[in-house]
Amino acid sequence: MKHYELQPSELKIMNVIWDHHPISASEIASILMKETAWSKNTIYTLITRVVKKGFVKRTDPNFVCEPIITRKQIQQQETKSLVDRLYAGSLNMLFARIIEDENLSDAELEELRNLLDQKR
């Protein structure tokens, strides 16, 4: 799998693009200026960065953005990176940590059991 590296600020840009594509850069700026303290220039810089990294296709006129990679691709890569960095590649250690640290409801535990059963 190709490695995709997104900074947290770039991920905010990508989330807007995934949720609203195709979307113009000005619309992205409008959405994120309400949610963050970022200026329009900062948002445009971040959009340009994700375009240069090959995550987003830009078309003109109007600097319209569409994702090249999917949210699922990023989630898979980030999950693998997290497991490798913090749990020495062990999914068992990750799940044990979640189960020990989180206050999971009976419904959530049942859902996890069902997911595990489906993988068999």
Short mmCIF file of all heavy atoms in Angstrom, two decimals, residues 19-75:
data_model
loop_
_atom_site.label_atom_id
_atom_site.label_comp_id
_atom_site.label_asym_id
_atom_site.label_seq_id
_atom_site.Cartn_x
_atom_site.Cartn_y
_atom_site.Cartn_z
N ASP A 19 -16.31 15.12 2.36
CA ASP A 19 -17.72 15.30 2.70
C ASP A 19 -18.50 16.10 1.67
O ASP A 19 -19.73 15.98 1.61
CB ASP A 19 -17.85 15.99 4.06
CG ASP A 19 -17.43 15.10 5.22
OD1 ASP A 19 -17.34 13.87 5.03
OD2 ASP A 19 -17.17 15.65 6.31
N HIS A 20 -17.83 16.93 0.87
CA HIS A 20 -18.55 17.87 0.01
C HIS A 20 -18.11 17.89 -1.45
O HIS A 20 -18.51 18.80 -2.18
CB HIS A 20 -18.41 19.30 0.57
CG HIS A 20 -18.88 19.45 1.98
ND1 HIS A 20 -20.21 19.52 2.31
CD2 HIS A 20 -18.19 19.53 3.14
CE1 HIS A 20 -20.32 19.64 3.61
NE2 HIS A 20 -19.11 19.64 4.15
N HIS A 21 -17.30 16.95 -1.88
CA HIS A 21 -16.74 17.04 -3.24
C HIS A 21 -17.79 16.81 -4.32
O HIS A 21 -18.77 16.11 -4.06
CB HIS A 21 -15.56 16.08 -3.40
CG HIS A 21 -15.94 14.62 -3.44
ND1 HIS A 21 -16.29 13.99 -4.61
CD2 HIS A 21 -16.03 13.69 -2.47
CE1 HIS A 21 -16.57 12.72 -4.35
NE2 HIS A 21 -16.43 12.52 -3.06
N PRO A 22 -17.61 17.44 -5.48
CA PRO A 22 -16.58 18.43 -5.78
C PRO A 22 -16.88 19.75 -5.06
O PRO A 22 -18.05 20.13 -4.91
CB PRO A 22 -16.66 18.60 -7.29
CG PRO A 22 -18.06 18.24 -7.64
CD PRO A 22 -18.49 17.21 -6.63
N ILE A 23 -15.83 20.41 -4.63
CA ILE A 23 -15.99 21.64 -3.84
C ILE A 23 -14.87 22.62 -4.21
O ILE A 23 -13.72 22.21 -4.42
CB ILE A 23 -15.99 21.34 -2.32
CG1 ILE A 23 -16.24 22.59 -1.50
CG2 ILE A 23 -14.71 20.62 -1.90
CD1 ILE A 23 -16.48 22.34 -0.01
N SER A 24 -15.23 23.89 -4.29
CA SER A 24 -14.24 24.90 -4.63
C SER A 24 -13.41 25.27 -3.40
O SER A 24 -13.86 25.10 -2.26
CB SER A 24 -14.90 26.16 -5.19
OG SER A 24 -15.61 26.83 -4.17
N ALA A 25 -12.23 25.78 -3.67
CA ALA A 25 -11.35 26.22 -2.57
C ALA A 25 -12.03 27.30 -1.73
O ALA A 25 -11.89 27.32 -0.51
CB ALA A 25 -10.03 26.71 -3.13
N SER A 26 -12.78 28.18 -2.38
CA SER A 26 -13.46 29.24 -1.61
C SER A 26 -14.53 28.64 -0.69
O SER A 26 -14.73 29.14 0.42
CB SER A 26 -14.04 30.30 -2.53
OG SER A 26 -15.04 29.75 -3.36
N GLU A 27 -15.20 27.58 -1.13
CA GLU A 27 -16.20 26.93 -0.26
C GLU A 27 -15.51 26.22 0.90
O GLU A 27 -16.03 26.25 2.02
CB GLU A 27 -17.03 25.93 -1.07
CG GLU A 27 -17.95 26.57 -2.09
CD GLU A 27 -18.59 25.56 -3.02
OE1 GLU A 27 -17.87 24.73 -3.60
OE2 GLU A 27 -19.82 25.61 -3.16
N ILE A 28 -14.37 25.61 0.63
CA ILE A 28 -13.60 24.96 1.71
C ILE A 28 -13.21 26.02 2.74
O ILE A 28 -13.38 25.82 3.95
CB ILE A 28 -12.34 24.26 1.16
CG1 ILE A 28 -12.74 23.11 0.23
CG2 ILE A 28 -11.45 23.75 2.30
CD1 ILE A 28 -11.59 22.54 -0.59
N ALA A 29 -12.71 27.14 2.26
CA ALA A 29 -12.32 28.23 3.16
C ALA A 29 -13.50 28.72 3.98
O ALA A 29 -13.38 28.94 5.19
CB ALA A 29 -11.69 29.37 2.37
N SER A 30 -14.63 28.86 3.35
CA SER A 30 -15.83 29.34 4.06
C SER A 30 -16.21 28.38 5.19
O SER A 30 -16.52 28.83 6.30
CB SER A 30 -16.98 29.46 3.06
OG SER A 30 -18.16 29.83 3.70
N ILE A 31 -16.16 27.10 4.92
CA ILE A 31 -16.50 26.10 5.95
C ILE A 31 -15.48 26.14 7.09
O ILE A 31 -15.85 26.19 8.27
CB ILE A 31 -16.57 24.69 5.32
CG1 ILE A 31 -17.80 24.58 4.41
CG2 ILE A 31 -16.60 23.61 6.41
CD1 ILE A 31 -17.82 23.34 3.53
N LEU A 32 -14.20 26.13 6.75
CA LEU A 32 -13.17 26.01 7.79
C LEU A 32 -12.93 27.30 8.56
O LEU A 32 -12.51 27.25 9.71
CB LEU A 32 -11.87 25.48 7.18
CG LEU A 32 -11.92 24.00 6.82
CD1 LEU A 32 -10.65 23.57 6.11
CD2 LEU A 32 -12.16 23.14 8.05
N MET A 33 -13.22 28.44 7.96
CA MET A 33 -13.07 29.69 8.71
C MET A 33 -14.10 29.78 9.83
O MET A 33 -13.83 30.40 10.86
CB MET A 33 -13.16 30.89 7.77
CG MET A 33 -11.89 31.06 6.96
SD MET A 33 -11.88 32.25 5.58
CE MET A 33 -12.95 33.54 6.07
N LYS A 34 -15.23 29.09 9.67
CA LYS A 34 -16.24 29.05 10.73
C LYS A 34 -15.84 28.08 11.84
O LYS A 34 -16.21 28.26 12.99
CB LYS A 34 -17.60 28.63 10.16
CG LYS A 34 -18.21 29.62 9.22
CD LYS A 34 -19.47 29.07 8.58
CE LYS A 34 -19.96 29.97 7.46
NZ LYS A 34 -21.00 29.33 6.65
N GLU A 35 -15.11 27.02 11.49
CA GLU A 35 -14.76 25.96 12.44
C GLU A 35 -13.41 26.16 13.12
O GLU A 35 -13.15 25.57 14.16
CB GLU A 35 -14.73 24.60 11.73
CG GLU A 35 -16.06 24.15 11.18
CD GLU A 35 -15.95 22.83 10.41
OE1 GLU A 35 -14.88 22.19 10.46
OE2 GLU A 35 -16.94 22.45 9.78
N THR A 36 -12.54 26.93 12.48
CA THR A 36 -11.18 27.10 13.00
C THR A 36 -10.86 28.59 13.09
O THR A 36 -11.66 29.42 12.68
CB THR A 36 -10.15 26.45 12.05
OG1 THR A 36 -10.12 27.19 10.82
CG2 THR A 36 -10.46 24.98 11.78
N ALA A 37 -9.69 28.88 13.59
CA ALA A 37 -9.23 30.27 13.64
C ALA A 37 -8.31 30.57 12.45
O ALA A 37 -7.58 31.55 12.45
CB ALA A 37 -8.49 30.52 14.95
N TRP A 38 -8.36 29.72 11.42
CA TRP A 38 -7.48 29.88 10.27
C TRP A 38 -7.94 30.99 9.36
O TRP A 38 -9.13 31.19 9.15
CB TRP A 38 -7.41 28.59 9.47
CG TRP A 38 -6.88 27.40 10.20
CD1 TRP A 38 -6.18 27.39 11.38
CD2 TRP A 38 -7.01 26.03 9.80
NE1 TRP A 38 -5.87 26.10 11.73
CE2 TRP A 38 -6.37 25.25 10.78
CE3 TRP A 38 -7.62 25.40 8.73
CZ2 TRP A 38 -6.30 23.87 10.70
CZ3 TRP A 38 -7.55 24.02 8.64
CH2 TRP A 38 -6.89 23.27 9.62
N SER A 39 -6.96 31.66 8.76
CA SER A 39 -7.27 32.68 7.76
C SER A 39 -7.50 31.99 6.41
O SER A 39 -7.14 30.83 6.20
CB SER A 39 -6.10 33.65 7.62
OG SER A 39 -5.00 33.01 6.99
N LYS A 40 -8.07 32.76 5.49
CA LYS A 40 -8.30 32.25 4.13
C LYS A 40 -6.96 31.85 3.49
O LYS A 40 -6.88 30.82 2.82
CB LYS A 40 -9.02 33.29 3.30
CG LYS A 40 -9.56 32.79 1.99
CD LYS A 40 -10.44 33.84 1.33
CE LYS A 40 -11.20 33.25 0.18
NZ LYS A 40 -12.17 34.19 -0.39
N ASN A 41 -5.93 32.66 3.70
CA ASN A 41 -4.61 32.35 3.13
C ASN A 41 -4.05 31.04 3.67
O ASN A 41 -3.47 30.26 2.92
CB ASN A 41 -3.61 33.49 3.40
CG ASN A 41 -3.87 34.69 2.53
OD1 ASN A 41 -4.56 34.61 1.51
ND2 ASN A 41 -3.33 35.82 2.93
N THR A 42 -4.22 30.79 4.95
CA THR A 42 -3.76 29.54 5.55
C THR A 42 -4.48 28.36 4.93
O THR A 42 -3.87 27.34 4.57
CB THR A 42 -3.99 29.55 7.08
OG1 THR A 42 -3.20 30.60 7.66
CG2 THR A 42 -3.63 28.21 7.71
N ILE A 43 -5.78 28.49 4.75
CA ILE A 43 -6.58 27.40 4.18
C ILE A 43 -6.15 27.14 2.74
O ILE A 43 -5.97 25.98 2.35
CB ILE A 43 -8.08 27.71 4.30
CG1 ILE A 43 -8.47 27.73 5.79
CG2 ILE A 43 -8.91 26.69 3.51
CD1 ILE A 43 -9.83 28.33 6.08
N TYR A 44 -5.95 28.19 1.97
CA TYR A 44 -5.49 28.02 0.59
C TYR A 44 -4.11 27.37 0.53
O TYR A 44 -3.85 26.53 -0.33
CB TYR A 44 -5.49 29.35 -0.15
CG TYR A 44 -6.82 29.69 -0.79
CD1 TYR A 44 -7.91 30.08 -0.02
CD2 TYR A 44 -7.00 29.60 -2.16
CE1 TYR A 44 -9.13 30.37 -0.58
CE2 TYR A 44 -8.23 29.90 -2.75
CZ TYR A 44 -9.28 30.28 -1.95
OH TYR A 44 -10.50 30.57 -2.51
N THR A 45 -3.24 27.72 1.46
CA THR A 45 -1.92 27.09 1.52
C THR A 45 -2.05 25.60 1.80
O THR A 45 -1.36 24.78 1.18
CB THR A 45 -1.05 27.77 2.61
OG1 THR A 45 -0.86 29.14 2.26
CG2 THR A 45 0.29 27.08 2.76
N LEU A 46 -2.92 25.24 2.74
CA LEU A 46 -3.13 23.82 3.06
C LEU A 46 -3.75 23.07 1.89
O LEU A 46 -3.37 21.92 1.62
CB LEU A 46 -3.99 23.69 4.31
CG LEU A 46 -3.33 24.15 5.61
CD1 LEU A 46 -4.36 24.26 6.73
CD2 LEU A 46 -2.21 23.20 6.00
N ILE A 47 -4.69 23.70 1.20
CA ILE A 47 -5.28 23.05 0.02
C ILE A 47 -4.20 22.80 -1.03
O ILE A 47 -4.10 21.70 -1.60
CB ILE A 47 -6.42 23.90 -0.57
CG1 ILE A 47 -7.59 24.01 0.42
CG2 ILE A 47 -6.90 23.29 -1.89
CD1 ILE A 47 -8.64 25.05 0.03
N THR A 48 -3.37 23.80 -1.27
CA THR A 48 -2.29 23.66 -2.25
C THR A 48 -1.34 22.53 -1.84
O THR A 48 -0.88 21.76 -2.68
CB THR A 48 -1.53 24.99 -2.39
OG1 THR A 48 -2.45 26.00 -2.83
CG2 THR A 48 -0.38 24.88 -3.38
N ARG A 49 -1.09 22.40 -0.55
CA ARG A 49 -0.22 21.35 -0.06
C ARG A 49 -0.79 19.96 -0.34
O ARG A 49 -0.06 19.07 -0.79
CB ARG A 49 0.02 21.53 1.45
CG ARG A 49 1.16 20.68 1.96
CD ARG A 49 1.39 20.84 3.44
NE ARG A 49 1.65 22.22 3.84
CZ ARG A 49 1.57 22.66 5.07
NH1 ARG A 49 1.23 21.86 6.07
NH2 ARG A 49 1.85 23.92 5.36
N VAL A 50 -2.09 19.75 -0.10
CA VAL A 50 -2.67 18.42 -0.36
C VAL A 50 -2.76 18.14 -1.85
O VAL A 50 -2.68 16.98 -2.27
CB VAL A 50 -4.03 18.19 0.36
CG1 VAL A 50 -3.86 18.20 1.87
CG2 VAL A 50 -5.10 19.16 -0.08
N VAL A 51 -2.89 19.20 -2.66
CA VAL A 51 -2.85 19.01 -4.11
C VAL A 51 -1.45 18.56 -4.53
O VAL A 51 -1.30 17.59 -5.27
CB VAL A 51 -3.26 20.32 -4.85
CG1 VAL A 51 -2.95 20.22 -6.34
CG2 VAL A 51 -4.74 20.63 -4.62
N LYS A 52 -0.41 19.24 -4.02
CA LYS A 52 0.98 18.89 -4.37
C LYS A 52 1.35 17.49 -3.90
O LYS A 52 2.15 16.80 -4.54
CB LYS A 52 1.95 19.91 -3.77
CG LYS A 52 1.97 21.22 -4.51
CD LYS A 52 2.99 22.18 -3.92
CE LYS A 52 2.96 23.49 -4.67
NZ LYS A 52 3.85 24.50 -4.07
N LYS A 53 0.79 17.05 -2.77
CA LYS A 53 1.07 15.71 -2.26
C LYS A 53 0.34 14.63 -3.05
O LYS A 53 0.57 13.45 -2.85
CB LYS A 53 0.68 15.61 -0.78
CG LYS A 53 1.64 16.32 0.14
CD LYS A 53 1.26 16.08 1.59
CE LYS A 53 2.29 16.62 2.55
NZ LYS A 53 2.00 16.25 3.94
N GLY A 54 -0.57 15.04 -3.93
CA GLY A 54 -1.28 14.08 -4.76
C GLY A 54 -2.52 13.49 -4.13
O GLY A 54 -3.03 12.47 -4.59
N PHE A 55 -3.06 14.14 -3.11
CA PHE A 55 -4.27 13.66 -2.45
C PHE A 55 -5.53 14.21 -3.11
O PHE A 55 -6.61 13.65 -2.97
CB PHE A 55 -4.29 14.06 -0.97
CG PHE A 55 -3.15 13.53 -0.17
CD1 PHE A 55 -2.61 14.29 0.86
CD2 PHE A 55 -2.61 12.28 -0.41
CE1 PHE A 55 -1.56 13.80 1.62
CE2 PHE A 55 -1.56 11.79 0.34
CZ PHE A 55 -1.04 12.55 1.36
N VAL A 56 -5.38 15.35 -3.78
CA VAL A 56 -6.52 16.08 -4.33
C VAL A 56 -6.22 16.49 -5.77
O VAL A 56 -5.09 16.89 -6.08
CB VAL A 56 -6.82 17.34 -3.48
CG1 VAL A 56 -7.85 18.24 -4.12
CG2 VAL A 56 -7.26 16.94 -2.08
N LYS A 57 -7.24 16.40 -6.61
CA LYS A 57 -7.15 16.89 -7.98
C LYS A 57 -7.80 18.27 -8.02
O LYS A 57 -8.92 18.44 -7.54
CB LYS A 57 -7.87 15.93 -8.93
CG LYS A 57 -7.85 16.40 -10.39
CD LYS A 57 -8.51 15.38 -11.28
CE LYS A 57 -10.01 15.66 -11.29
NZ LYS A 57 -10.72 14.86 -12.28
N ARG A 58 -7.07 19.21 -8.60
CA ARG A 58 -7.58 20.58 -8.74
C ARG A 58 -7.95 20.81 -10.20
O ARG A 58 -7.18 20.50 -11.09
CB ARG A 58 -6.49 21.56 -8.34
CG ARG A 58 -6.84 22.99 -8.67
CD ARG A 58 -5.67 23.91 -8.50
NE ARG A 58 -6.05 25.25 -8.93
CZ ARG A 58 -5.34 26.32 -8.66
NH1 ARG A 58 -4.23 26.24 -7.98
NH2 ARG A 58 -5.73 27.50 -9.09
N THR A 59 -9.13 21.36 -10.42
CA THR A 59 -9.51 21.76 -11.77
C THR A 59 -9.92 23.22 -11.75
O THR A 59 -10.46 23.73 -10.77
CB THR A 59 -10.68 20.90 -12.32
OG1 THR A 59 -11.75 20.91 -11.40
CG2 THR A 59 -10.25 19.48 -12.57
N ASP A 60 -9.62 23.88 -12.84
CA ASP A 60 -9.97 25.29 -12.99
C ASP A 60 -11.02 25.40 -14.07
O ASP A 60 -11.14 24.51 -14.90
CB ASP A 60 -8.72 26.11 -13.36
CG ASP A 60 -7.77 26.21 -12.16
OD1 ASP A 60 -8.25 26.56 -11.08
OD2 ASP A 60 -6.58 25.92 -12.33
N PRO A 61 -11.82 26.44 -14.13
CA PRO A 61 -11.78 27.60 -13.24
C PRO A 61 -12.36 27.28 -11.86
O PRO A 61 -12.91 26.21 -11.65
CB PRO A 61 -12.66 28.63 -13.96
CG PRO A 61 -13.63 27.81 -14.74
CD PRO A 61 -12.89 26.54 -15.12
N ASN A 62 -12.20 28.19 -10.98
CA ASN A 62 -12.77 28.17 -9.62
C ASN A 62 -12.05 27.25 -8.65
O ASN A 62 -12.55 27.02 -7.56
CB ASN A 62 -14.27 27.82 -9.64
CG ASN A 62 -15.07 28.81 -10.42
OD1 ASN A 62 -14.74 30.00 -10.47
ND2 ASN A 62 -16.11 28.33 -11.08
N PHE A 63 -10.88 26.70 -9.01
CA PHE A 63 -10.08 25.90 -8.08
C PHE A 63 -10.98 24.85 -7.41
O PHE A 63 -11.13 24.81 -6.20
CB PHE A 63 -9.44 26.81 -7.05
CG PHE A 63 -8.28 26.25 -6.28
CD1 PHE A 63 -7.30 27.09 -5.80
CD2 PHE A 63 -8.14 24.89 -6.01
CE1 PHE A 63 -6.22 26.61 -5.06
CE2 PHE A 63 -7.08 24.39 -5.28
CZ PHE A 63 -6.12 25.26 -4.81
N VAL A 64 -11.59 23.99 -8.22
CA VAL A 64 -12.48 22.94 -7.72
C VAL A 64 -11.65 21.73 -7.31
O VAL A 64 -10.77 21.29 -8.05
CB VAL A 64 -13.53 22.56 -8.78
CG1 VAL A 64 -14.39 21.40 -8.30
CG2 VAL A 64 -14.41 23.77 -9.11
N CYS A 65 -11.94 21.20 -6.13
CA CYS A 65 -11.16 20.11 -5.55
C CYS A 65 -11.97 18.82 -5.49
O CYS A 65 -13.13 18.84 -5.09
CB CYS A 65 -10.71 20.47 -4.13
SG CYS A 65 -9.66 21.94 -4.06
N GLU A 66 -11.31 17.72 -5.87
CA GLU A 66 -11.89 16.39 -5.73
C GLU A 66 -10.81 15.47 -5.17
O GLU A 66 -9.64 15.57 -5.55
CB GLU A 66 -12.37 15.87 -7.08
CG GLU A 66 -13.56 16.63 -7.60
CD GLU A 66 -14.35 15.84 -8.61
OE1 GLU A 66 -14.79 14.72 -8.26
OE2 GLU A 66 -14.51 16.34 -9.73
N PRO A 67 -11.19 14.56 -4.29
CA PRO A 67 -10.19 13.67 -3.70
C PRO A 67 -9.68 12.65 -4.71
O PRO A 67 -10.45 12.15 -5.54
CB PRO A 67 -10.95 12.98 -2.57
CG PRO A 67 -12.39 13.03 -2.99
CD PRO A 67 -12.54 14.29 -3.78
N ILE A 68 -8.41 12.35 -4.62
CA ILE A 68 -7.79 11.29 -5.41
C ILE A 68 -7.71 10.02 -4.57
O ILE A 68 -7.82 8.92 -5.08
CB ILE A 68 -6.40 11.72 -5.91
CG1 ILE A 68 -6.54 12.88 -6.91
CG2 ILE A 68 -5.65 10.54 -6.54
CD1 ILE A 68 -5.23 13.49 -7.34
N ILE A 69 -7.50 10.19 -3.27
CA ILE A 69 -7.46 9.06 -2.34
C ILE A 69 -8.72 9.06 -1.50
O ILE A 69 -9.34 10.10 -1.30
CB ILE A 69 -6.21 9.09 -1.45
CG1 ILE A 69 -6.18 10.38 -0.62
CG2 ILE A 69 -4.94 8.94 -2.26
CD1 ILE A 69 -5.19 10.34 0.49
N THR A 70 -9.07 7.91 -1.00
CA THR A 70 -10.29 7.80 -0.21
C THR A 70 -9.99 7.95 1.28
O THR A 70 -8.86 7.77 1.73
CB THR A 70 -10.98 6.45 -0.44
OG1 THR A 70 -10.12 5.41 0.08
CG2 THR A 70 -11.28 6.21 -1.91
N ARG A 71 -11.03 8.26 2.01
CA ARG A 71 -10.93 8.33 3.47
C ARG A 71 -10.49 6.97 4.01
O ARG A 71 -9.66 6.89 4.92
CB ARG A 71 -12.29 8.75 4.04
CG ARG A 71 -12.29 8.92 5.54
CD ARG A 71 -13.66 9.33 6.03
NE ARG A 71 -13.75 10.79 6.05
CZ ARG A 71 -14.77 11.49 5.61
NH1 ARG A 71 -15.83 10.91 5.10
NH2 ARG A 71 -14.77 12.81 5.68
N LYS A 72 -11.02 5.89 3.43
CA LYS A 72 -10.68 4.54 3.88
C LYS A 72 -9.18 4.27 3.70
O LYS A 72 -8.55 3.67 4.58
CB LYS A 72 -11.50 3.50 3.12
CG LYS A 72 -11.24 2.09 3.57
CD LYS A 72 -12.11 1.09 2.86
CE LYS A 72 -11.78 -0.32 3.32
NZ LYS A 72 -12.60 -1.33 2.65
N GLN A 73 -8.60 4.72 2.59
CA GLN A 73 -7.16 4.52 2.38
C GLN A 73 -6.35 5.21 3.48
O GLN A 73 -5.39 4.64 4.00
CB GLN A 73 -6.74 5.07 1.01
CG GLN A 73 -7.19 4.22 -0.14
CD GLN A 73 -6.92 4.88 -1.47
OE1 GLN A 73 -7.42 5.98 -1.74
NE2 GLN A 73 -6.11 4.25 -2.29
N ILE A 74 -6.74 6.42 3.83
CA ILE A 74 -6.04 7.15 4.90
C ILE A 74 -6.25 6.45 6.24
O ILE A 74 -5.32 6.29 7.02
CB ILE A 74 -6.51 8.61 4.95
CG1 ILE A 74 -6.06 9.37 3.71
CG2 ILE A 74 -6.01 9.30 6.23
CD1 ILE A 74 -4.56 9.51 3.56
N GLN A 75 -7.48 6.02 6.52
CA GLN A 75 -7.76 5.34 7.78
C GLN A 75 -6.92 4.07 7.91
O GLN A 75 -6.37 3.80 8.98
CB GLN A 75 -9.25 5.02 7.89
CG GLN A 75 -10.11 6.22 8.11
CD GLN A 75 -11.60 5.92 7.97
OE1 GLN A 75 -12.00 4.97 7.31
NE2 GLN A 75 -12.42 6.76 8.58
#
